[in-house]
């Protein structure tokens, strides 16, 4: 009888805590948007991709600067490898280096590197071609590593705020691709000299970086941001002080045997404040003495009890790995969805898409398709909030899987060379637009939703773990892209595909007739 009373009391406390958490979540989502903070996060998402997008968008300049090298492929490989290194290093040092310090360091590094390449190579051309080529690739490597550190830091930073601010970072990311594409088109149209146009383009990017850094500092100093970071810091301190137990304590289970609380909207198992305080529980704000921490309590359904596990003193690294594993167990559906969606995009864009040829548009078609993709990606992100309300997590697993159909369709826009099956330019435009919209719609929720399912003191770590999951699509997407190009020989020569007439040289015979050589 006494045991039944304890169980009823535990369930009542759990229901009360659950209602309190739901009320706080509702208040968080209905809280008016802080325009200054939202704009600072928008600029944050815009900032870290600006340097690397600017360098790759100026590929027309680098093709002329280093004519005998596959500069774009080299940049792509180096960028992916160094991004992986940056993400891993940030994840390893997240507990050791303050968040603000990491972000400011990245801003200084990105701005300095952009200034270096602009002044030494574009403006003054201080080095011979071979040395300049090595230095350019070195700058791309360092920029990619700094960009990865800043990006993963910003996701952790945004995850400590309400969900809409993570969405602001994602919108800023997508806007960056569109803005840099439009800036490059504008400088190419306005300035005929490639070197001068690239110089103006790079200085504009550096100015944009400075504006983004100022926006970050303004947002970081706001009371709204301080309050949310303070809340997460207090949760972390509470976890460190009370989250570890010196002996095994039996606590009554607040659930019937085999009973599970499932979030109907998301499809995720939800252990929120039902008294079990089990591993993988949703974030709690430290209300009440029963608010346990992830991984410290395990439910023993067979015996109807919940035990607080004794953990002997462990090394710092074991504790950090354990925290990452507990977060991963909760958010792994989002990680899988993000990996599938991003991996498909990396496979096709921009490498394979840039191989699509249209004779009337010529070299403008890749620029148009990249700009269209970035615009549709941004549109998809802006429409994702309404889609998210109607979709369960399973939709974010099914959707990216269905996007695999883009691979054969895009290949049919290229093959057979000269007469592709989907050769009309409308096909490439429609497919690129759809690929951008679906990438945007299916890419926001896997990043912005996970913080709701972890404890407050793990919210920054949750953002870093989500970005860590991007390593897999970066590697797989790049490998698949190169394999598809090699297997199907997707690389096309525009002169052969369009049967262009190229005057290699003119031969004037005695009758005054000029002969034109064809290739």
């Amino acid at each position: 009888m006494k045991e039944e009373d304890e169980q009823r009391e535990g369930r009542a406390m759990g229901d009360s805590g659950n209602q309190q958490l739901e009320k706080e979540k509702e208040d968080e989502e209905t809280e008016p948007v802080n325009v200054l903070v939202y704009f600072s996060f928008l600029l944050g998402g815009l900032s870290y991709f600006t340097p690397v997008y600017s360098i790759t968008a100026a590929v027309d300049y680098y093709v002329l600067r280093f004519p005998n090298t596959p500069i774009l492929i080299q940049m792509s490989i180096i960028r992916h490898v160094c991004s992986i290194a940056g993400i891993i290093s940030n994840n390893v040092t997240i507990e050791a280096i303050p968040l603000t310090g990491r972000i400011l360091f990245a801003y200084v590094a990105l701005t300095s590197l952009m200034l270096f390449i602009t002044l030494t190579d574009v403006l003054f051309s201080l080095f011979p071609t071979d040395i300049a080529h090595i230095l350019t690739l070195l700058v791309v490597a360092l920029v990619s590593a700094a960009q990865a550190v800043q990006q993963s830091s910003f996701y952790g930073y945004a995850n400590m705020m309400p969900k809409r601010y993570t969405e602001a970072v994602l919108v800023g990311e997508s806007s960056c691709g569109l803005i840099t594409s439009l800036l490059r088109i504008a400088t190419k149209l306005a300035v005929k000299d490639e070197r001068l146009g690239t110089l103006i383009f790079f200085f504009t990017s550096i100015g944009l970086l400075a504006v983004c850094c100022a926006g970050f500092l303004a947002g970081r100093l706001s009371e709204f941001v301080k309050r949310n970071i303070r809340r997460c810091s207090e949760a972390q301190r509470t976890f460190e002080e009370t989250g570890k137990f010196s002996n095994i304590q039996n606590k009554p289970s607040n659930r019937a045997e085999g009973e599970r609380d499932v979030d109907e909207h998301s499809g995720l198992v939800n252990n929120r404040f039902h008294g079990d305080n089990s591993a993988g529980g949703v974030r709690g704000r430290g209300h009440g003495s029963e608010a346990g921490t992830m991984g410290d309590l395990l439910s023993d359904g067979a015996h109807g009890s919940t035990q607080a596990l004794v953990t002997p003193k462990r090394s710092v690294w074991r504790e950090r790995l354990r925290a990452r594993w507990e977060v991963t167990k909760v958010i792994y559906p989002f990680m899988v969805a993000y990996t599938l969606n991003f991996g498909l995009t990396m496979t096709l864009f921009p490498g394979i898409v840039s191989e699509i040829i249209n004779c009337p548009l010529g070299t403008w078609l890749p620029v148009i398709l990249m700009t269209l993709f970035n615009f549709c990606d941004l549109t998809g992100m802006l429409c994702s909030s309404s889609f998210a309300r109607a979709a369960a997590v399973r939709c974010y697993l099914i959707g990216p899987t269905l996007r695999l159909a883009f691979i054969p369709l895009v290949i049919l826009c290229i093959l057979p060379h000269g007469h592709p099956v989907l050769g009309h330019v409308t096909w490439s435009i429609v497919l690129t637009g759809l690929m951008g919209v679906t990438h945007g719609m299916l890419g926001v929720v896997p990043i912005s939703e996970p913080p709701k399912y972890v404890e407050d003191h793990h919210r920054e770590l949750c953002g870093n773990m989500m970005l860590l999951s991007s390593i897999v699509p970066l590697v797989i997407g790049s490998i698949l892209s190169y394999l598809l190009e090699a297997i199907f020989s997707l690389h096309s020569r525009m002169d052969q595909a369009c049967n262009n007439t190229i005057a290699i040289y003119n031969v004037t015979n005695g009758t005054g007739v000029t002969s034109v050589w064809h290739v």
Side-chain angles (χ1 to χ4, degrees):
M1 193 70 180
K2 183 178 180 181
E3 183 178 348
E4 292 179 359
D5 291 338
E6 289 178 344
Q7 289 183 355
R8 279 197 297 271
E9 182 182 353
R11 279 195 293 270
M13 292 178 64
D15 292 339
S16 175
N18 193 35
Q19 292 173 2
Q20 188 172 13
L21 175 64
E22 294 297 333
K23 183 177 184 303
E24 288 180 355
K25 285 175 59 185
E26 184 178 341
D27 292 342
E28 183 179 90
E29 296 302 323
T30 57
E31 184 179 4
V33 176
N34 187 309
V35 178
L36 171 64
V37 175
Y38 187 91
F39 193 61
S40 74
F41 278 96
L42 190 70
L43 289 176
L46 180 67
S47 64
Y48 45 75
F49 278 136
T50 295
V52 71
Y53 279 4
S54 298
I55 293 173
T56 53
V59 67
D60 52 339
Y61 165 79
Y62 286 112
V63 166
L64 297 175
R65 183 79 170 90
F66 313 116
N68 298 320
T69 58
I71 186 67
L72 185 58
I73 295 177
Q74 292 172 339
M75 286 182 176
S76 179
I77 295 173
I78 289 174
R79 177 190 167 190
H80 295 159
V81 171
C82 293
S83 293
I84 292 170
I87 292 171
I88 293 175
S89 64
N90 184 75
N91 203 273
V92 168
T93 60
I94 181 175
E95 291 92 350
I97 303 176
L99 173 70
T100 305
R102 279 180 274 131
I103 294 177
L104 286 178
F105 169 79
Y107 270 121
V108 172
L110 291 174
T111 306
S112 302
L113 290 167
M114 282 296 294
L115 276 172
F116 174 81
I117 198 70
T118 302
L119 296 177
T120 61
D121 185 58
V122 182
L123 181 59
F124 297 117
S125 298
L126 297 180
F127 306 103
T129 303
D130 53 346
I131 297 179
H133 177 230
I134 295 172
L135 286 176
T136 299
L137 295 179
L138 179 61
V139 167
V140 171
L142 295 175
V143 162
S144 300
Q147 165 252 307
V149 169
Q150 188 176 20
Q151 183 183 19
S152 52
S153 298
F154 250 104
Y155 276 129
Y157 177 36
N159 276 354
M160 292 188 279
M161 311 295 141
K163 184 181 74 172
R164 62 176 65 92
Y165 298 95
T166 303
E167 294 173 351
V169 175
L170 293 167
V171 170
E173 282 186 8
S174 187
S175 302
C176 181
L178 181 61
I179 290 172
T180 51
S181 298
L182 293 176
L183 279 175
R184 189 56 185 157
I185 290 173
T187 53
K188 279 178 67 68
L189 291 174
V191 183
K192 300 304 179 183
D193 185 274
E194 289 288 347
R195 182 177 174 183
L196 180 59
T198 305
L199 187 66
I200 295 172
F201 177 52
F202 279 3
F203 273 125
T204 304
S205 300
I206 293 170
L208 186 59
L209 264 179
V211 171
C212 293
C213 184
F216 164 72
L217 292 174
R220 180 64 182 84
L221 295 174
S222 69
E223 187 57 37
F224 175 84
V225 170
K226 289 179 180 179
R227 184 174 70 249
N228 281 276
I229 291 180
R230 185 164 55 245
R231 185 197 71 214
C232 294
S233 298
E234 290 172 354
Q236 176 66 28
R237 282 196 296 270
T238 302
F239 169 69
E240 291 173 351
E241 293 170 0
T242 64
K244 299 175 184 177
F245 297 86
S246 58
N247 56 1
I248 297 180
Q249 301 172 352
N250 291 328
K251 294 182 181 290
S253 174
N254 299 318
R255 296 184 297 175
E257 181 177 350
E259 181 182 348
R260 305 183 87 191
D261 176 27
V262 179
D263 188 331
E264 294 179 357
H265 174 71
S266 67
L268 287 176
V269 176
N270 193 353
N271 300 314
R272 285 179 284 194
F273 281 90
H274 285 280
D276 62 332
N277 301 325
S278 62
V282 182
R283 61 184 173 88
R285 300 185 184 276
H287 296 284
S289 60
E290 296 299 317
T293 56
M294 190 183 309
D296 287 324
L297 300 172
L298 295 175
S299 175
D300 184 357
H303 296 88
S305 66
T306 302
Q307 293 182 332
L309 295 186
V310 180
T311 57
K313 188 169 178 130
R314 301 176 178 179
S315 68
V316 172
W317 288 107
R318 286 193 66 183
E319 290 293 339
R320 291 176 180 178
L321 289 173
R322 177 173 170 272
R324 284 156 176 76
W325 173 243
E326 297 299 344
V327 170
T328 301
K329 287 195 294 186
V330 178
I331 66 172
Y332 76 89
F334 297 105
M335 296 176 75
V336 173
Y338 181 72
T339 298
L340 290 173
N341 190 56
F342 189 42
L344 184 278
T345 302
M346 285 297 304
T347 300
L348 296 177
F349 184 85
I352 292 179
V353 170
S354 65
E355 298 293 344
I356 300 175
I357 289 177
N358 179 264
C359 298
L361 292 175
T363 57
W364 275 99
L365 181 62
V367 178
I368 292 172
L369 292 181
M370 289 182 187
T371 306
L372 175 65
F373 177 89
N374 289 322
F375 174 77
C376 292
D377 181 35
L378 176 60
T379 303
M381 284 187 176
L382 295 176
C383 297
S384 64
S385 57
S386 57
F387 175 70
R389 285 192 289 268
V393 169
R394 62 182 66 90
C395 294
Y396 297 96
L397 296 173
I398 296 172
T401 305
L402 295 177
R403 292 182 79 227
L404 292 173
F406 282 119
I407 294 178
L409 291 174
V410 171
I411 290 177
L412 290 177
C413 290
I414 304 172
L415 297 178
H417 293 306
H419 303 283
V421 176
L422 305 179
H424 197 279
V425 69
T426 304
W427 283 106
S428 57
I429 289 175
V430 170
L431 288 174
T432 302
L434 287 175
M435 191 161 55
V437 169
T438 53
H439 179 260
M441 291 185 69
L442 297 171
V444 171
V445 172
I447 288 290
S448 60
E449 286 290 315
K452 297 197 302 185
Y453 296 91
V454 300
E455 305 281 353
D456 267 353
H457 60 275
H458 281 152
R459 294 187 84 174
E460 183 186 358
L461 183 60
C462 173
N464 282 272
M465 291 304 297
M466 282 303 304
L467 199 64
L468 189 64
S469 67
S470 69
I471 289 178
V472 177
L474 271 174
V475 174
I476 294 178
S478 300
I479 292 174
L480 283 178
S481 179
Y482 297 136
L483 285 177
L484 288 172
E485 189 162 344
I487 292 171
F488 294 102
S489 300
L490 298 179
H491 180 66
S492 303
R493 287 183 56 184
M494 186 172 294
D495 56 349
Q496 293 177 350
C498 298
N499 195 26
N500 284 343
T501 299
I502 301 178
I504 298 180
Y505 54 87
N506 295 331
V507 178
T508 304
N509 58 25
T511 61
V513 177
T514 301
S515 300
V516 181
W517 291 64
H518 301 274
V519 293

